[in-house]
Amino acid sequence: MERNVQKPNQTERRTLLRGVALGGTGIATASLLSTGKASAADAGNGLGFPGVDVVIDSSHATTEVAALVRRYLIRKSAQDLDGWMSFFSRNLITYIDAVVGAGFYNWESLRDSLSQFMSNWPSDGKSYPTRILGDATSAVVFFTDTAGLFGPSEIRAVGVINFRDRKITRQIDYWDVRHFGIANTAALAAFSPGSITDFRESTVGETAAPAMRNVVSKLTQTLRNGDGASAAELFAPGAIFEDMPAHLQIVGPRSIGTYLTKAVSLLPYAGGGTAVRHVVGSAVGGGYEWTASNSAVPRGVVALELDGWGKITRLTAMWDGSLVDDSTLISLGRTAIEQ
């Protein structure tokens, strides 16, 4: 069927050209050139996730990693176990669910475990990406596992992935149990061998772009110090700060800086005792895993989108909200109220 596609206007062309200059891809259909996003409907179901209206933002990912991640999750969604496993390195592999505490350190054990899950998957189950940040060395991937894959509810996860020769060598998944449903985690308990202390980042090394490592270093220092004013200087005009478990979004450097100053004692990735575990990504998209020794939440991930000047345009934090009580989450929301 022939489709009418509206040509981008001059402003849209400038947006598109700037995105290409930054290394973003996200150009899957002519109808969405200016946004860096594409849906399955716009691509004639060419994204490979039939039955799901998929929108993938790859504006801060290289063409190579966007295609690699999409193919990886297409095989998973097709319930093609061997095809899915072909994306993992046979010589070096770490796969950890940071929330459940399940870890796999060789190809065979990972395949055996995934086979057990897949044998019970519903025929219409899907796992699809929604946002990809980084390059084919390392990336942060936002993805959704639909209900029935790993329990009665969907899981919206953030995966930190390292690649070598286009094969996954390390993947750590972070998600919020509250969104999944605290009562639903019992279904996953049998796959948790206990607390994991070694996340094996040393096996892959630090390969993130220098620009990303530089921003992470500056950002985490300001967060440890509770220095919102200095943190604000790292954000671009119109930047977005979002914390997924707290269900909050703050726009603009001034408001972000004020919030970070006031919320330093509440945010698990701020204040004393926090440290960077591992940095991934390119000069425009990626993030870092963090640890917190003085918090009820011991670990999580912060995803970052940067502009061409190295300023943060979007920060997204993911951690397990079930590890704090309701009053903490309420306080995080209250603190965002501007005076």
Side-chain angles (χ1 to χ4, degrees):
M1 179 188 298
E2 184 176 352
R3 301 177 58 220
N4 293 322
V5 178
Q6 183 177 359
K7 294 182 178 179
N9 59 33
Q10 205 158 7
T11 299
E12 290 171 329
R13 288 193 187 97
R14 285 196 296 269
T15 303
L16 170 60
L17 290 173
R18 183 171 177 271
V20 172
L22 292 177
T25 58
I27 308 171
T29 64
S31 62
L32 291 168
L33 284 174
S34 64
T35 64
K37 301 178 182 179
S39 72
D42 289 308
N45 290 323
L47 292 181
F49 305 99
V52 182
D53 186 14
V54 179
V55 176
I56 304 174
D57 181 349
S58 56
S59 58
H60 289 70
T62 62
T63 303
E64 184 179 20
V65 76
L68 182 59
V69 168
R70 184 168 64 86
R71 291 197 300 270
Y72 166 54
L73 293 179
I74 284 174
R75 290 300 94 211
K76 179 181 175 183
S77 294
Q79 302 185 26
D80 174 3
L81 180 60
D82 290 330
W84 184 17
M85 288 301 302
S86 71
F87 286 87
F88 293 96
S89 168
R90 284 181 174 267
N91 301 319
L92 174 64
I93 180 63
T94 296
Y95 194 119
I96 296 175
D97 185 306
V99 178
V100 174
F104 305 93
Y105 310 105
N106 64 73
W107 193 92
E108 290 78 11
S109 65
L110 177 59
R111 187 188 187 284
D112 289 345
S113 180
L114 296 179
S115 177
Q116 294 179 51
F117 277 109
M118 188 173 284
S119 64
N120 296 311
W121 282 3
S123 59
D124 60 348
K126 297 287 183 294
S127 181
Y128 57 90
T130 54
R131 183 152 56 114
I132 305 169
L133 311 172
D135 57 29
T137 299
S138 58
V140 173
V141 178
F142 290 73
F143 66 96
T144 299
D145 289 329
T146 58
L149 266 61
F150 297 101
S153 181
E154 70 176 10
I155 294 178
R156 293 185 175 269
V158 180
V160 178
I161 305 178
N162 284 88
F163 301 94
R164 184 177 297 174
D165 297 327
R166 301 176 64 81
K167 299 291 185 181
I168 296 171
T169 54
R170 180 180 183 270
Q171 178 170 341
I172 315 295
D173 292 341
Y174 297 87
W175 46 282
D176 179 18
V177 167
R178 284 181 179 268
H179 179 83
F180 180 66
I182 295 175
N184 295 333
T185 56
L188 300 174
F191 294 88
S192 175
S195 177
I196 295 176
T197 57
D198 184 3
F199 280 66
R200 294 168 63 95
E201 62 275 8
S202 62
T203 64
V204 294
E206 293 294 332
T207 63
M212 180 60 63
R213 295 201 301 270
N214 181 52
V215 170
V216 168
S217 176
K218 292 178 179 178
L219 173 66
T220 53
Q221 184 63 50
T222 63
L223 291 177
R224 276 192 292 270
N225 296 338
D227 185 356
S230 295
E233 296 177 1
L234 302 175
F235 289 83
I240 297 172
F241 172 95
E242 52 192 3
D243 187 293
M244 303 301 284
H247 297 285
L248 64 85
Q249 185 180 89
I250 302 169
V251 180
R254 185 194 66 81
S255 296
I256 292 171
T258 299
Y259 180 77
L260 291 176
T261 297
K262 294 191 298 181
V264 63
S265 64
L266 297 170
L267 293 169
Y269 44 92
T274 57
V276 175
R277 183 194 296 281
H278 186 49
V279 185
V280 297
S282 67
V284 295
Y288 66 98
E289 297 170 78
W290 50 265
T291 61
S293 61
N294 297 334
S295 170
V297 184
R299 65 188 65 90
V301 61
V302 167
L304 297 171
E305 296 181 7
L306 310 180
D307 63 18
W309 296 271
K311 296 287 188 177
I312 301 169
T313 58
R314 186 177 181 183
L315 180 156
T316 306
M318 175 63 83
W319 46 281
D320 182 4
S322 73
L323 297 177
V324 299
D325 56 26
D326 294 0
S327 63
T328 299
L329 294 173
I330 292 170
S331 296
L332 283 169
R334 278 201 188 118
T335 304
I337 298 173
E338 296 179 292
Q339 304 298 321

